[in-house]
Amino acid sequence: MGVCIKALGEGVPLGQVVFFRSAVALVPLVLFLRWSGAFPKGLATKNPFGHIVRCVFGAVAMFTSFATIRLLPLAEATLLSYLAPVMLALMGWILLREAPSARRIGGVALGLAGGAAFCLPALSGEVPEGATLGLILGLATAVLTAGALIQVRRLTLAGENAGAIAFWFAVVCSIAGLATLPLGWVMPDPDQLALLVGAGLAGGAAHILMTLSFRHAEASALAPFEYLSILWAAGAGFTFFGEVPNWSFLLAAPLILAGSLVSLKRAPRAPAGAAQER
């Protein structure tokens, strides 16, 4: 998905990308929900306001995430997303009154140290034009994603179906992307259309695979596999776009990944299976 979005560059407006990513993803998502017996009866909700809050956080995060991918190398944009579990731990303490363990305090400290290390080039003026904005948007994405996951947790604790959470999120993101139509869309050429559809299918397939994986294994066992995406992102960035991570990435990566993994500990089952904005 990230490769498709990166390859589109500035040729397609951001809102149009969000629309295609979300609308196309509905196709495999609905087919999967129907196959699993959760469509349409599983889409009913007793907490529409809670879904609205979750969707607002997630939709804005999708916009900032895709903008980050445009502005930063793919590996760096992916790395910043791993600050979300750190932010999730912080918000859990503040909003959910969860007791902070020594393990999670250490994870947050490592993650924040990595984030600070990642910002060093920007503070010293060593980054190319647009990269500072990409860094800011990447950090904002981590905070917004954590806020969305906090709300997902609240919804699941209230008995909401994971399929409903995922479906309504995709619908709202499609509407949010479509709302940018008056700002100017373009008629995509065949290559751009293939990339737009590819981003949606990849995002939808990723959600389905995550859902299935969490049915067959514990979240704590699956967490390390999620972190392989940084290797895929670095490899794809180098292969398709000639991107080479800089020194701040090499310094920040082990800190952020370690902090994220420690903060995650035993991740809640619902957030990972409920829908990602990536």
Side-chain angles (χ1 to χ4, degrees), residues 5 9-10 12-19 62-68 70 177 180 184-185:
I5 293 168
E10 302 290 337
V12 179
L14 191 62
Q16 189 173 358
V17 176
V18 170
F19 170 77
M62 186 176 287
F63 275 90
T64 58
S65 173
F66 290 178
T68 303
R70 286 183 170 184
T180 66
W185 279 19

Side-chain angles (χ1 to χ4, degrees), residues 29 46 48 52 57 68 72 101 115 124 133 137 147-148 150 181 192 195 203 206-207 213 233 267 269:
L29 179 58
K46 298 179 181 179
I52 291 172
F57 272 107
T68 303
L72 293 179
S101 64
S124 60
L133 177 59
L137 291 173
I150 284 285
L181 179 61
Q192 290 173 327
L195 290 170
H207 164 76
S213 68
R269 293 170 65 90

Side-chain angles (χ1 to χ4, degrees), residues 23-58:
V24 174
L26 278 170
V27 176
L29 179 58
V30 168
L31 291 175
F32 171 71
L33 291 175
R34 187 173 181 83
W35 172 76
S36 60
F39 186 88
K41 61 181 180 180
L43 303 183
T45 176
K46 298 179 181 179
N47 190 356
F49 179 75
H51 281 276
I52 291 172
V53 173
R54 181 269 183 274
C55 290
V56 168
F57 272 107

Side-chain angles (χ1 to χ4, degrees), residues 72 75-83 86 107-122 135 139 227 230 245-261:
L72 293 179
E76 296 183 11
T78 303
L79 177 65
L80 285 174
S81 70
Y82 289 135
L83 285 172
V86 177
V108 168
L110 284 170
L112 294 179
F118 201 81
C119 294
L120 288 176
L135 176 62
L139 294 173
Y227 292 88
I230 191 66
N246 61 21
W247 63 266
S248 65
F249 174 88
L250 299 176
L251 177 62
L255 293 172
I256 291 178
L257 292 178
S260 180
L261 194 57

Side-chain angles (χ1 to χ4, degrees), residues 109-190:
L110 284 170
L112 294 179
F118 201 81
C119 294
L120 288 176
L123 296 176
S124 60
E126 298 177 12
V127 297
E129 184 178 356
T132 300
L133 177 59
L135 176 62
I136 294 171
L137 291 173
L139 294 173
T141 299
V143 175
L144 290 165
T145 300
L149 292 179
I150 284 285
Q151 190 59 24
V152 167
R153 185 169 183 181
R154 285 175 167 170
L155 288 169
T156 52
L157 289 175
E160 291 293 309
N161 185 283
I165 296 172
F167 177 83
W168 293 119
F169 171 64
V171 169
V172 169
C173 285
S174 298
I175 295 172
L178 188 61
T180 66
L181 179 61
L183 301 179
W185 279 19
V186 300
M187 179 62 69
D189 60 35

